[in-house]
Amino acid sequence: MKRATRPCCTDGPARSTSPTERPSESDGRARFTSFPFTKNKQQNPLQNHNEEDFSQLPYDVLLRISATFNLPNIRSASLVCKSWFQAIKPLRESMVCLKWGKRYKHGRSGVKRNLRKALDYFLQGAALGSTLAMVDAGLVYWEMGRREKGMNLYRKAAELGDPVGQCNLGISLLQANPPDPEEAVKWLYKASVTGHVRAQYQLALSLHKRHGPNSNLQEAAKWYVKAAEGGYVRAMYNTALCYSVGEGLMQSHKLAKKWMKRAADRGHSKAQLEHGMCLFSEGETMQAVVYLELASRAGEVTANPVKNVILQELSASRQDHAMFLANSWLALPSSSSH
């Protein structure tokens, strides 16, 4: 009998997946090189015009170009020419605000955790045009229960092209009261096409639940696979289920087992349970008991009866070896956002 695919629940409150804290901007002036020139200035009449191009652009246009820059991007852009160096000065200053915001948010570098101070710094960075600061400020507001303010900042970052802001806005719209699944799918799709794996998973989940104008199982499965290939563990599990029952994908026991093992090896407890049961049915008792033990430790109580049956069939030495393997197990790395 075919079993219905059960999509994993949403990840909960939208959270920031912006890069971890970066080094502060150095005190020294960044050096820059101007455009090539010759000794005879008359041979290069466009030199002055070129140097002023970027600094003459309206700031909202500059934001469209550089609002999503992180610190390495900003440093590189500052070295292009004098006009770039001058034009993105506010964004260099925003990186300092972002750094201090993260210090207060996480209690790092000798400061005590203080969400209000963190929020103040993030808001300063957001006012200077950094979408990274907008997303982090939105997250703090969300954690404080001021969801509307958080969503407004997510939206501002999303409209400037930040994939994390787009993803967080999409998730927030799904959790709004009332929810707006159609607009949520729109923003999740924008983030997904940039390769943002969490957005790809959330988009697949929404389509699987029949949200959005173009929702169908084939489209949902396609985004599950993309997110799974990008390293998102929950997408690996749902991809395995889709292959297992032929929902949105052509049924394939081999591919179902492949993706279930990948999810299990990265710490997904339900995948560990499913993979352990699969190995038991194939007679791989030693490996089966290891995965069932891991699932049991992660809270999957239904793993215990089968695991105990298998242990009774193993010798004492093999039981000890199975427990040794379980104790030595380390989850493989996975992607939480990108």
Side-chain angles (χ1 to χ4, degrees), residues 159-221:
E159 289 172 348
L160 286 168
D162 188 289
V164 181
Q166 292 166 345
C167 177
N168 285 7
L169 177 60
I171 294 172
S172 301
L173 288 165
L174 289 172
Q175 298 176 3
N177 187 19
D180 190 344
E182 288 199 10
E183 190 182 1
V185 165
K186 180 189 80 171
W187 287 109
L188 290 170
Y189 181 81
K190 285 179 180 288
S192 295
V193 295
T194 70
H196 193 286
V197 292
R198 186 168 181 240
Q200 291 171 344
Y201 169 74
Q202 290 292 339
L203 176 61
L205 201 62
S206 296
L207 295 173
H208 204 159
K209 294 178 178 179
R210 303 297 200 278
H211 294 159
N214 299 317
S215 61
N216 59 68
L217 291 178
Q218 288 76 22
E219 187 73 4

Side-chain angles (χ1 to χ4, degrees), residues 298-323:
E300 300 294 335
V301 294
T302 54
N304 288 322
V306 181
K307 179 194 72 175
N308 292 334
V309 168
I310 299 173
L311 286 173
Q312 291 175 3
E313 297 176 356
L314 299 178
S315 65
S317 61
R318 296 194 72 194
Q319 290 180 18
D320 291 342
H321 184 59
M323 291 303 104

Side-chain angles (χ1 to χ4, degrees), residues 96-330:
V96 178
C97 298
L98 187 67
K99 178 193 73 172
W100 279 98
K102 288 184 179 294
R103 283 183 175 179
Y104 277 109
K105 182 181 178 182
H106 302 291
R108 295 173 179 165
S109 303
V111 300
K112 291 183 178 180
R113 189 172 187 268
N114 187 322
L115 273 185
R116 292 196 176 276
K117 285 189 176 182
L119 179 60
D120 287 342
Y121 277 110
F122 289 144
L123 289 174
Q124 289 178 47
L128 290 166
S130 170
T131 60
L132 302 183
M134 293 173 198
V135 169
D136 276 343
L139 174 62
V140 175
Y141 272 133
W142 192 273
E143 291 176 356
M144 290 179 170
R146 301 167 71 179
R147 294 192 168 192
E148 186 174 349
K149 283 186 173 291
M151 287 177 67
N152 288 339
L153 283 161
Y154 290 150
R155 186 179 295 278
K156 188 174 181 180
E159 289 172 348
L160 286 168
D162 188 289
V164 181
Q166 292 166 345
C167 177
N168 285 7
L169 177 60
I171 294 172
S172 301
L173 288 165
L174 289 172
Q175 298 176 3
N177 187 19
D180 190 344
E182 288 199 10
E183 190 182 1
V185 165
K186 180 189 80 171
W187 287 109
L188 290 170
Y189 181 81
K190 285 179 180 288
S192 295
V193 295
T194 70
H196 193 286
V197 292
R198 186 168 181 240
Q200 291 171 344
Y201 169 74
Q202 290 292 339
L203 176 61
L205 201 62
S206 296
L207 295 173
H208 204 159
K209 294 178 178 179
R210 303 297 200 278
H211 294 159
N214 299 317
S215 61
N216 59 68
L217 291 178
Q218 288 76 22
E219 187 73 4
K222 179 187 82 172
W223 288 108
Y224 279 141
V225 172
K226 284 184 179 292
E229 290 172 345
Y232 203 79
V233 178
R234 294 185 180 190
M236 295 178 189
Y237 176 69
N238 280 15
T239 297
L241 293 181
C242 287
Y243 274 122
S244 178
V245 299
E247 193 166 80
L249 297 167
M250 186 174 293
Q251 190 170 18
S252 169
H253 175 72
K254 180 179 179 180
L255 290 173
K257 183 178 179 181
K258 165 191 161 182
W259 284 112
M260 195 66 75
K261 183 179 187 304
R262 288 189 177 184
D265 288 342
R266 286 158 179 80
H268 194 289
S269 61
K270 285 185 171 56
Q272 290 168 341
L273 171 62
E274 295 274 357
H275 189 57
M277 297 291 285
C278 177
L279 290 170
F280 175 57
S281 68
E282 294 175 352
E284 300 287 339
T285 54
M286 178 64 76
Q287 287 298 314
V289 78
V290 172
Y291 281 101
L292 291 170
E293 173 66 16
L294 294 172
S296 175
R297 292 179 184 183
E300 300 294 335
V301 294
T302 54
N304 288 322
V306 181
K307 179 194 72 175
N308 292 334
V309 168
I310 299 173
L311 286 173
Q312 291 175 3
E313 297 176 356
L314 299 178
S315 65
S317 61
R318 296 194 72 194
Q319 290 180 18
D320 291 342
H321 184 59
M323 291 303 104
F324 171 78
L325 292 175
N327 293 332
S328 306
W329 180 84
L330 292 174

Side-chain angles (χ1 to χ4, degrees), residues 32-39 44-55 77 79-85:
F32 60 87
T33 56
S34 61
F35 289 92
F37 60 90
T38 63
K39 290 183 179 180
N44 189 18
L46 298 178
Q47 180 180 351
N48 291 334
H49 174 73
N50 285 338
E51 287 186 351
E52 294 175 357
D53 277 352
F54 293 110
S55 58
L79 295 172
V80 171
C81 64
K82 183 177 181 179
S83 59
W84 255 123
F85 179 80

Side-chain angles (χ1 to χ4, degrees), residues 59 74 85-95 124-125 127-130:
Y59 193 61
I74 291 172
F85 179 80
Q86 293 172 341
I88 63 174
K89 180 182 177 182
L91 287 176
R92 287 199 301 277
E93 294 172 353
S94 75
M95 292 296 102
Q124 289 178 47
L128 290 166
S130 170

Side-chain angles (χ1 to χ4, degrees), residues 3-23:
R3 145 183 85 154
T5 304
R6 294 175 184 163
C8 293
C9 62
T10 186
D11 287 339
R15 62 177 183 271
S16 168
T17 52
S18 58
T20 54
E21 184 177 7
R22 299 179 177 85

